[in-house]
Amino acid sequence: MNSLDSEHLMSELKTHKDYIQTDNISDADLIIINTCSVREKPVQKLFSELGSLNKVKKEGAKIGVCGCTASHLGKDIIKRAPYVDFVLGARNVSKIKDIVDIKGAVEVDLDYDESTYSFASNGHSIYKTSANISIGCDKECTYCIVPFTRGDEVSIPLELLVSQIQKSVESGVVEVMLLGQNVNNYGKRFSDGSTKSSFTHLLKEISKIDGLQRIRFTSPHPLHMDDEFIEEFATNPKICKSIHMPLQSGSTKVLKEMKRGYTKEWFLNRALKIKDLVPDVRISTDIIVGFPTESHEDFLDTMDVIEKVRFDQIFNFKYSPRPNTAALSLESIVSDEEASKRLEEVITLHKIHQEELLHQNIGKTMKVLFEELKPNSEISGFSDNYIQVYVKGSEELLGKILDVKITGATRTVLKGEII
Ligand code: 5AD
Ligand code: SF4
């Protein structure tokens, strides 16, 4: 989502303000840092990064801070780093073309609704595009700062999405990534109060776009993975068979304290149903270890779910206390040392699964969309179930979806031959 926000920032500045991109910081007239605030570390890094940018920037060049830390710290950023020219919150991206010329401007309005704003087209990849289907988040996960930086959830109107994706397809795009904090809560609220819709309905409508070959989405919430959704995921041939299922914790007790809305059993039931219906599915997840109330037993529940589901990819985090969140007031029973140990255990178990799962693909045939030239006359792309695959080949393969016979695997990617 942050990458797409960055692309929107760039395309708005290119289209409306004549900026062009440079890779050389000392050439830049404008430097923007797009920030995350989900954990504390990136927030700390922001100020050291700002300090070094201020030293290397060209005389008179502007610096802007955008994104979730901008929403969260607002004008305090300029207080701490007075050479920052403007601050633009994660829910105010469309205001970039106005704010860029106003020294000292701070736009962090959490109620601002840009759900019907048409961003200038970004064209980062000629084969793939991304589209926000909703902004903000209505959940209240007790560890999470996002609802305080991105505001309430508002869905983007279906017609707008379909016409935007259709336009991209007309210019050669074959794959779309639908983005939202909570994609499968789509359609619960539109800014004009129009009729309710659902994520499954949206998927069906987007699939009707001629020429669009692949649909991906992230992130769905395990709570909203009803049978209708799983059925559509399993049977719609345009929907890629890879899914992110953010577990967070395997303990029903901790899940309740996190206010996730589901139990260990519900999560397992959904994940195993998906695996059953879609044998080649690739499942990724997010896990937080060291939540303040996580006992050793709770942690073992998390390990148990990892063992039962065997995730293809795990993004694991040590709990980081965040301002405004409900969990901030909980006293922690987990030492930092214990949290690090748990993190290591998750990583070690996952590595075993990851390697086994990847090697099971050897000998299979996969459809790969080729996207990137690599050294040594290789070219890479992603399979339908989102594994990176390398083959020998050159430019004429770019943008094509071809059958590849898998001949080998490293720990994270596959090697193959076009058949
Ligand atoms: N501490 C650690 N990880 C967090 N995440 C969100 N908030 C926190 C926090 N306070 C993780 C969750 C989420 C992912 C994007 O970041 O796992 O799914
Ligand atoms: Fe944060 Fe929970 Fe919303 Fe995800 S669903 S963005 S974890 S509040």
Side-chain angles (χ1 to χ4, degrees):
M1 188 158 286
N2 281 350
S3 305
L4 183 58
D5 286 346
S6 297
E7 282 187 24
H8 282 156
L9 290 167
M10 289 190 289
S11 47
E12 289 293 300
L13 288 169
K14 277 184 197 162
T15 310
H16 300 290
K17 304 296 293 184
D18 279 345
Y19 278 96
I20 52 165
Q21 245 173 287
T22 173
D23 289 332
N24 188 352
I25 283 274
S26 53
D27 272 351
D29 298 302
L30 169 65
I31 300 167
I32 293 180
I33 304 194
N34 195 15
T35 57
C36 175
S37 64
V38 162
R39 285 165 294 278
E40 200 186 354
K41 231 188 205 153
V43 180
Q44 291 167 347
K45 257 171 57 186
L46 168 66
F47 287 97
S48 57
E49 186 75 16
L50 280 172
S52 9
L53 287 174
N54 190 40
K55 284 192 196 121
V56 297
K57 73 171 187 150
K58 165 166 112 177
E59 174 90 32
K62 295 176 192 171
I63 298 185
V65 177
C66 302
C68 282
T69 301
S71 311
H72 162 216
L73 297 179
K75 58 182 182 327
D76 289 350
I77 294 178
I78 300 189
K79 269 197 204 142
R80 239 177 109 174
Y83 47 84
V84 168
D85 292 89
F86 61 88
V87 173
L88 184 68
R91 204 184 170 98
N92 296 257
V93 171
S94 61
K95 295 180 187 164
I96 183 66
K97 57 185 187 298
D98 306 317
I99 202 178
V100 68
D101 295 324
I102 308 173
K103 171 83 188 157
V106 177
E107 286 283 345
V108 291
D109 183 1
L110 268 194
D111 295 322
Y112 188 64
D113 177 10
E114 53 186 21
S115 65
T116 53
Y117 183 85
S118 283
F119 284 96
S121 83
N122 47 72
H124 166 74
S125 156
I126 40 178
Y127 322 115
K128 297 203 285 198
T129 191
S130 301
N132 277 333
I133 65 164
S134 56
I135 53 177
C137 180
D138 271 356
K139 297 276 185 259
E140 295 173 342
C141 303
T142 57
Y143 52 80
C144 184
I145 196 173
V146 170
F148 306 97
T149 62
R150 290 190 176 265
D152 288 344
E153 190 174 308
V154 184
S155 299
I156 315 258
L158 196 145
E159 316 75 60
L160 206 69
L161 285 168
V162 171
S163 75
Q164 180 196 339
I165 297 166
Q166 198 139 28
K167 244 193 256 162
S168 301
V169 170
E170 278 156 21
S171 65
V173 157
V174 291
E175 181 178 305
V176 66
M177 167 68 98
L178 308 175
L179 290 171
Q181 300 299 331
N182 225 322
V183 283
N184 50 352
N185 201 35
Y186 178 82
K188 297 293 177 296
R189 189 190 304 130
F190 293 96
S191 59
D192 66 352
S194 62
T195 353
K196 288 191 175 163
S197 184
S198 75
F199 185 53
T200 307
H201 178 63
L202 175 74
L203 288 172
K204 287 186 176 161
E205 291 302 305
I206 290 181
S207 312
K208 289 182 191 158
I209 299 175
D210 260 350
L212 180 68
Q213 302 195 44
R214 288 176 157 192
I215 302 171
R216 300 190 188 279
F217 52 84
T218 203
S219 285
H221 194 298
L223 174 67
H224 304 298
M225 293 191 179
D226 54 25
D227 285 344
E228 194 196 8
F229 162 74
I230 293 181
E231 190 72 25
E232 182 66 18
F233 176 76
T235 55
N236 184 330
K238 287 195 180 180
I239 299 179
C240 291
K241 303 304 180 239
S242 93
I243 191 163
H244 189 62
M245 293 186 70
L247 168 66
Q248 314 299 359
S249 168
S251 151
T252 297
K253 186 200 101 201
V254 172
L255 286 168
K256 199 161 173 208
E257 286 152 357
M258 288 177 161
K259 269 205 178 177
R260 289 290 291 169
Y262 53 86
T263 59
K264 176 184 181 185
E265 289 67 34
W266 169 263
F267 186 94
L268 279 173
N269 173 286
R270 298 292 90 185
L272 298 178
K273 178 165 180 150
I274 291 173
K275 281 193 136 188
D276 193 36
L277 292 178
V278 190
D280 279 333
V281 71
R282 196 157 178 272
I283 304 184
S284 56
T285 196
D286 291 345
I287 284 172
I288 299 177
V289 296
F291 186 76
T293 56
E294 184 187 66
S295 66
H296 187 65
E297 221 169 33
D298 294 323
F299 174 65
L300 291 182
D301 271 328
T302 300
M303 294 295 275
D304 186 44
V305 176
I306 298 175
E307 195 61 79
K308 291 195 164 105
V309 178
R310 297 167 68 82
F311 296 102
D312 294 87
Q313 192 169 14
I314 300 184
F315 300 94
N316 26 226
F317 313 104
K318 237 189 327 184
Y319 169 72
S320 166
R322 306 306 295 126
N324 300 324
T325 60
L328 193 64
S329 59
L330 297 173
E331 209 167 309
S332 181
I333 57 165
V334 196
S335 67
D336 189 53
E337 196 189 351
E338 179 60 26
S340 302
K341 218 175 105 211
R342 290 178 190 176
L343 193 69
E344 272 314 307
E345 281 187 48
V346 169
I347 293 170
T348 308
L349 178 60
H350 169 56
K351 265 191 191 154
I352 299 169
H353 293 165
Q354 196 183 23
E355 201 159 327
E356 277 175 19
L357 289 163
L358 211 59
H359 277 79
Q360 282 170 11
N361 292 299
I362 297 174
K364 286 187 183 166
T365 300
M366 290 179 157
K367 288 207 178 305
V368 176
L369 166 58
F370 289 101
E371 297 165 39
E372 211 183 328
L373 292 172
K374 296 284 179 188
N376 306 324
S377 314
E378 285 193 310
I379 182 166
S380 86
F382 283 87
S383 64
D384 179 288
N385 61 358
Y386 211 53
I387 308 178
Q388 196 172 15
V389 180
Y390 282 64
V391 301
K392 286 273 175 221
S394 51
E395 331 197 300
E396 70 275 6
L397 301 182
L398 288 172
K400 292 195 173 129
I401 298 180
L402 298 170
D403 281 328
V404 174
K405 170 113 178 176
I406 304 303
T407 54
T410 67
R411 209 171 56 75
T412 51
V413 304
L414 295 175
K415 301 256 176 193
E417 286 160 9
I418 293 169
I419 49 174

